[in-house]
Amino acid sequence: PDTPSFYRYISTFVGRKCSAEDTAKAKKALELMIEMYESDKSDSAKPDEACFRKVIMAYVEVGDDESLECANGLIAEMERIEIYDTEYATRNLLRAYAKSEGGYRSKAEEVFARMMSSYENGNEDAKPSNPATFSWLMETIVSEEGEDAAVRVLDLWKEMECLDIKADSIHTYNHVLSACSKGKLEDESVRLRALKFIVDLLNKRQRNEQISGSAVAHMMSYGHLLRVLKKLFPDEANEDRRNKLIQTAFNSCCNDGLLSAANLNAYREAAPPHALGLDRNSEPKKEWSRNVAY
């Protein structure tokens, strides 16, 4: 049998709905391909990325601990026999880790590091280009709320900038803000990086640059943004600077029509009414909450 024949055979077991049993059968076929290829070095049945991807995605679909471990092992096996993942399988495994219940950060970091190492060692096929690859890893890191979450997520954001990968969703920005609101910001260099990220984000909103994503994600971002500003400027000495940034964030929130009741209360607690351009008893305009989802 040649590679296309194996691919068709594997495809009979794995499709949109994958069972653990059928996925195991598909993996056995893939292992047979690898064994045949390594025993006689015949290119006719050489495993290719499509065959690996089919089985990996089936394990991701099954989604339990054992299946995700199998998917991780198959991505490593691809690299061992010099068949390189073009980010697709890695990205989807990172998505599965992010959507599973906690405890997967070390695995997600391992998968991501393997991809980056492959690229840095000269494999252009492994070059990350999709912002979702970074976003799924960020989500896994944030979900575990480690003390180093802010530093690690800011590092990932810097890697995206170095690779000229543009965040295409508000969710990516939200993960960075969430990490900064939950993680430690004690080191001055980390605080400056977090502040730069916030200023750049607010500048984008003032220029009305479009960032895709749901209204709920926007609302969450404005809440996280406020918490980060309070952490960055906790004392009275920086009150004026803090209030100016809070006012800018408040104005952006209103312009986006995302001023929920919870956000309004949070902003009123964070800054005096005059800093927000409101009288103490004034009601917000209806248009300021036009995109509020709940």
Side-chain angles (χ1 to χ4, degrees):
D2 57 10
T3 301
S5 298
F6 267 109
Y7 179 81
R8 287 192 293 272
Y9 180 72
I10 289 170
S11 298
T12 63
F13 295 108
V14 293
R16 287 187 175 274
K17 295 291 184 180
C18 305
S19 69
E21 182 181 359
D22 284 343
T23 302
K25 292 176 181 177
K27 185 187 178 189
K28 283 187 178 296
L30 182 59
E31 289 171 340
L32 178 59
M33 285 185 79
I34 297 169
E35 183 182 339
M36 290 176 60
Y37 170 65
E38 292 191 319
S39 63
D40 61 16
K41 295 299 181 183
S42 171
D43 284 342
S44 63
K46 180 180 180 180
D48 61 9
E49 185 188 357
C51 291
F52 271 96
R53 182 187 291 184
K54 200 79 174 174
V55 183
I56 290 168
M57 291 307 298
Y59 276 120
V60 167
E61 177 69 25
V62 175
D64 58 27
D65 288 353
E66 184 178 351
S67 296
L68 295 183
E69 187 60 28
C70 286
N72 187 5
L74 286 174
I75 295 175
E77 181 71 355
M78 287 176 71
E79 186 163 340
R80 184 187 71 79
I81 60 176
E82 299 182 344
I83 299 171
Y84 296 105
D85 171 35
T86 54
E87 191 185 8
Y88 182 87
T90 293
R91 182 172 69 252
N92 280 280
L93 180 55
L94 289 172
R95 175 178 59 83
Y97 286 144
K99 296 304 179 185
S100 299
E101 302 218 357
Y104 282 109
R105 176 177 173 180
S106 62
K107 288 293 184 183
E109 292 275 22
E110 173 191 319
V111 170
F112 183 83
R114 187 168 57 228
M115 178 187 68
M116 292 302 297
S117 176
S118 180
Y119 167 61
E120 289 164 1
N121 287 329
N123 174 26
E124 284 294 321
D125 287 339
K127 180 180 180 180
S129 59
N130 192 316
T133 302
F134 288 82
S135 188
W136 292 126
L137 177 56
M138 289 178 182
E139 183 171 336
T140 304
I141 293 168
V142 170
S143 69
E144 298 194 12
E145 300 186 8
E147 290 185 352
D148 67 334
V151 175
R152 181 63 183 122
V153 171
L154 285 168
D155 285 345
L156 289 169
W157 181 262
K158 184 176 181 181
E159 284 191 74
M160 288 179 66
E161 291 182 324
C162 291
L163 291 165
D164 198 27
I165 298 173
K166 307 296 183 185
D168 67 346
S169 168
I170 193 64
H171 294 285
T172 309
Y173 291 91
N174 192 40
H175 295 326
V176 180
L177 289 171
S178 180
C180 290
S181 72
K182 295 175 181 178
K184 284 192 173 182
L185 294 177
E186 295 177 353
D187 185 86
E188 186 64 22
S189 65
V190 178
R191 295 167 67 85
L192 288 172
R193 290 169 65 190
L195 179 60
K196 179 182 183 302
F197 174 84
I198 286 175
V199 171
D200 288 347
L201 176 57
L202 288 174
N203 285 338
K204 284 178 181 290
R205 299 311 305 133
Q206 287 183 306
R207 294 193 299 268
N208 202 32
E209 291 187 20
Q210 294 301 310
I211 304 172
S212 65
S214 70
V216 174
H218 278 295
M219 289 161 63
M220 289 170 61
S221 291
Y222 281 116
H224 288 314
L225 176 55
L226 180 57
R227 285 191 287 275
V228 178
L229 288 173
K230 290 166 74 174
K231 286 179 70 174
L232 288 173
F233 303 106
D235 51 51
E236 292 184 3
N238 290 303
E239 185 177 6
D240 287 344
R241 191 177 184 190
R242 180 182 66 232
N243 286 345
K244 286 180 181 178
L245 286 169
I246 288 175
Q247 182 182 29
T248 302
F250 179 77
N251 291 340
S252 293
C253 186
C254 294
N255 290 337
D256 286 339
L258 295 166
L259 187 66
S260 65
N263 275 343
L264 177 59
N265 290 336
Y267 277 96
R268 277 179 161 161
E269 289 176 5
H274 70 270
L276 302 177
L278 293 173
D279 294 330
R280 185 171 298 278
N281 298 318
S282 63
E283 291 295 320
K285 297 178 181 179
K286 288 186 177 180
E287 65 187 61
W288 292 352
S289 58
R290 66 189 181 277
N291 293 321
V292 171
Y294 56 85

